[in-house]
């Protein structure tokens, strides 16, 4: 491990860093100093005792997206934007000893780490990137993203994002055939996670969220421990599972917003995407949070030709909008 690490002004002026508590700022700087050349660091009793760091400080860094916690391993943390912060020459680079941890990481197009291999901006696994010499001068990520998607499909046997043919035209049906039960299960798990997270925030922090009104406006509703009102009760469904009409205006406004920034129009009668919008509203997410989730996905999709058609863009939104909207809510809650 190197004896010196680089700190840039851009890091110290980043909003994520500036909004940390002072104890968490100190902890983050120490983690940067003691991380290995792959940005992986083991939690140290020495550091915790010197800084009086607690689990709360680590959680704050995780919620800001500055570090990544590894499931089942409370000792190891990964610096999310390590490759953007540090530049280590190849002849000085020493691989991590935590190879089992690095094997779980993937690289986004900004060279930050993620554990989500299905993130639409992932272009390579961390292991593969290191094997290729850790290049940071990549001009065109599209071929790498397509290669990564193909590798994920070959490994898992299913594809959650369309994969282009070699000629770059339309996707082949065989390549993009997805087991419906697998997708439905994935979506239900995402919805359940988002709902549980939302309910926890409401109970512990009296978090404010809004329900759609009959005219498409949004009425604010403060939930507390004694209230029996829920977003699901206020946005009731009929016995046959169809919307009662309470959310129709809000869903329609989300389609209008999406089509206003999308390269292609997605019909408002697209039931699967409408169900995603409706579910997010049922779970209490604000329209503004959902719109920001759409913005984040579109910022990636607009750079990739394979998402310029209605079918592939719709699939991308269905797969990732719950996750991205949840991230917006968590970031907003942590900033508050």
């Amino acid at each position: 491990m190197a004896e010196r690490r680089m700190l840039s002004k851009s890091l110290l002026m980043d909003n994520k860093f500036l909004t940390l508590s002072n104890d968490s700022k100190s902890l983050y700087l120490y983690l940067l100093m003691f991380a290995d050349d792959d940005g992986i660091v083991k939690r140290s009793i020495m550091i915790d005792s010197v800084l009086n760091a607690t689990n709360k400080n680590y959680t704050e860094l995780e919620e800001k997206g500055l570090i990544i916690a590894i499931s089942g391993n409370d000792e190891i943390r990964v610096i999310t934007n390590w490759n953007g912060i540090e530049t280590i020459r190849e002849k000085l680079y020493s691989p991590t000893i935590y190879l089992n941890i690095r094997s779980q990481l993937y690289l986004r197009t900004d060279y930050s780490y993620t554990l989500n291999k299905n993130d639409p901006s992932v272009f390579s696994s961390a292991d593969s990137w290191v094997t290729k010499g850790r290049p940071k001068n990549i001009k065109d990520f599209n071929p790498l993203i397509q290669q990564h998607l193909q590798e994920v499909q070959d490994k898992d046997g299913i594809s959650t994002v369309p994969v282009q043919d070699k000629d770059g035209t339309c996707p082949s049906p065989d390549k993009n055939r997805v087991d419906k039960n697998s997708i439905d299960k994935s979506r239900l798990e995402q919805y359940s996670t988002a709902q549980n997270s939302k309910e926890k925030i409401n109970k512990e922090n009296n978090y404010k969220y809004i329900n759609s009104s009959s005219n498409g406006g949004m009425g604010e509703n403060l939930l507390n421990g004694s209230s029996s009102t829920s977003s699901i009760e206020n946005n009731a469904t009929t016995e046959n599972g169809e919307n009662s009409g309470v959310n129709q205006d809000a869903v329609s406004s989300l389609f209008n917003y999406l089509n206003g920034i999308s390269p292609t129009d997605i019909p408002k009668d697209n039931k699967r995407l409408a169900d995603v919008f409706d579910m997010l509203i049922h779970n209490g997410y604000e329209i503004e949070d959902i719109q920001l989730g759409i913005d984040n996905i579109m910022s990636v999709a607009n750079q990739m030709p394979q998402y310029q058609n209605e079918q592939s863009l719709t699939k991308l939104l269905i797969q990732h909008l719950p996750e991205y909207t949840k991230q917006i809510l968590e970031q907003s809650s942590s900033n508050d």
Side-chain angles (χ1 to χ4, degrees):
M1 185 176 67
E3 291 295 321
R4 296 179 178 87
R5 292 300 185 198
M6 298 175 60
L7 288 177
S8 65
K9 290 182 180 178
S10 60
L11 166 65
L12 299 178
M13 294 302 294
D14 185 88
N15 286 337
K16 289 182 179 180
F17 180 80
L18 290 174
T19 53
L20 292 171
S21 64
N22 288 335
D23 288 342
S24 295
K25 287 177 183 174
S26 299
L27 175 60
Y28 185 58
L29 295 178
Y30 265 79
L31 294 178
L32 286 175
M33 180 59 68
F34 282 89
D36 61 29
D37 287 356
D38 284 309
I40 301 173
V41 58
K42 184 176 181 180
R43 185 170 178 176
S44 167
I45 296 177
M46 178 192 71
I47 294 177
D48 287 358
S49 61
V50 169
L51 300 178
N52 292 321
T54 65
N55 289 333
K56 181 179 179 180
N57 299 121
Y58 283 91
T59 299
E60 184 178 3
L61 294 179
E62 293 165 17
E63 291 176 344
K64 293 289 185 181
L66 295 173
I67 64 173
I68 298 172
I70 304 299
S71 177
N73 191 327
D74 189 51
E75 291 187 330
I76 301 298
R77 298 294 188 278
V78 179
I79 308 297
T80 306
N81 195 32
W82 175 259
N83 299 304
I85 297 172
E86 299 293 333
T87 299
I88 303 172
R89 287 178 291 176
E90 189 62 31
K91 65 179 182 180
L92 299 178
Y93 167 74
S94 296
T96 183
I97 62 173
Y98 304 109
L99 296 178
N100 62 321
I101 301 298
R102 196 181 70 186
S103 67
Q104 302 177 49
L105 302 175
Y106 297 87
L107 270 293
R108 299 189 184 101
T109 52
D110 61 357
Y111 301 100
S112 63
Y113 287 126
T114 179
L115 293 172
N116 182 11
K117 63 184 177 183
N118 291 318
D119 188 308
S121 61
V122 165
F123 71 91
S124 174
S125 67
D127 283 348
S128 177
W129 184 66
V130 170
T131 301
K132 295 175 182 177
R134 300 159 53 250
K136 296 172 69 174
N137 58 347
I138 300 173
K139 302 298 184 182
D140 184 6
F141 287 99
N142 285 337
L144 297 176
I145 292 174
Q146 285 298 314
Q147 181 181 352
H148 169 73
L149 293 175
Q150 186 65 61
E151 290 172 353
V152 171
Q153 178 180 345
D154 291 343
K155 182 178 180 180
D156 294 349
I158 63 171
S159 173
T160 56
V161 184
V163 178
Q164 285 180 310
D165 286 332
K166 292 182 179 179
D167 61 4
T169 57
C170 61
S172 300
D174 290 341
K175 288 183 180 178
N176 296 299
R177 183 175 60 83
V178 184
D179 179 69
K180 183 179 184 297
N181 291 332
S182 298
I183 284 190
D184 289 343
K185 181 179 179 182
S186 174
R187 290 173 60 197
L188 287 172
E189 289 173 349
Q190 289 178 341
Y191 294 146
S192 177
T193 301
Q195 183 174 357
N196 291 338
S197 174
K198 188 73 178 181
E199 290 175 353
K200 180 178 180 182
I201 293 173
N202 287 334
K203 290 179 181 179
E204 296 180 356
N205 301 320
N206 291 334
Y207 189 82
K208 288 185 177 181
Y209 69 92
I210 52 182
N211 299 309
S212 63
S213 62
S214 58
N215 62 358
M218 305 302 291
E220 194 170 43
N221 180 26
L222 177 62
L223 295 188
N224 54 47
S226 61
S227 174
S228 61
T229 305
S230 71
S231 60
I232 294 179
E233 292 169 346
N234 289 334
N235 297 285
T237 57
T238 59
E239 291 182 1
N240 60 8
E242 296 180 353
N243 293 337
S244 63
V246 179
N247 288 330
Q248 288 181 359
D249 288 338
V251 170
S252 178
S253 72
L254 287 172
F255 271 106
N256 290 337
Y257 181 82
L258 169 62
N259 289 329
I261 61 175
S262 169
T264 180
D265 280 348
I266 300 177
K268 293 182 180 180
D269 61 359
N270 188 302
K271 188 176 186 305
R272 295 185 66 196
L273 184 55
D275 286 345
V276 172
F277 289 156
D278 186 64
M279 178 65 75
L280 289 170
I281 296 169
H282 275 327
N283 286 345
Y285 288 100
E286 299 183 3
I287 294 295
E288 290 80 3
D289 289 336
I290 303 173
Q291 290 175 341
L292 287 173
I294 293 173
D295 286 342
N296 287 347
I297 292 178
M298 291 304 303
S299 66
V300 176
N302 286 334
Q303 302 176 29
M304 302 181 187
Q306 65 266 34
Y307 299 130
Q308 303 303 304
N309 64 78
E310 175 192 332
Q311 182 180 11
S312 61
L313 181 58
T314 302
K315 287 182 179 179
L316 186 68
L317 288 161
I318 290 171
Q319 180 68 25
H320 293 286
L321 186 57
E323 170 192 350
Y324 274 64
T325 305
K326 178 185 175 185
Q327 291 176 0
I328 294 295
L329 175 65
E330 291 174 341
Q331 292 170 3
S332 175
S333 299
S334 61
N335 288 338
D336 292 342

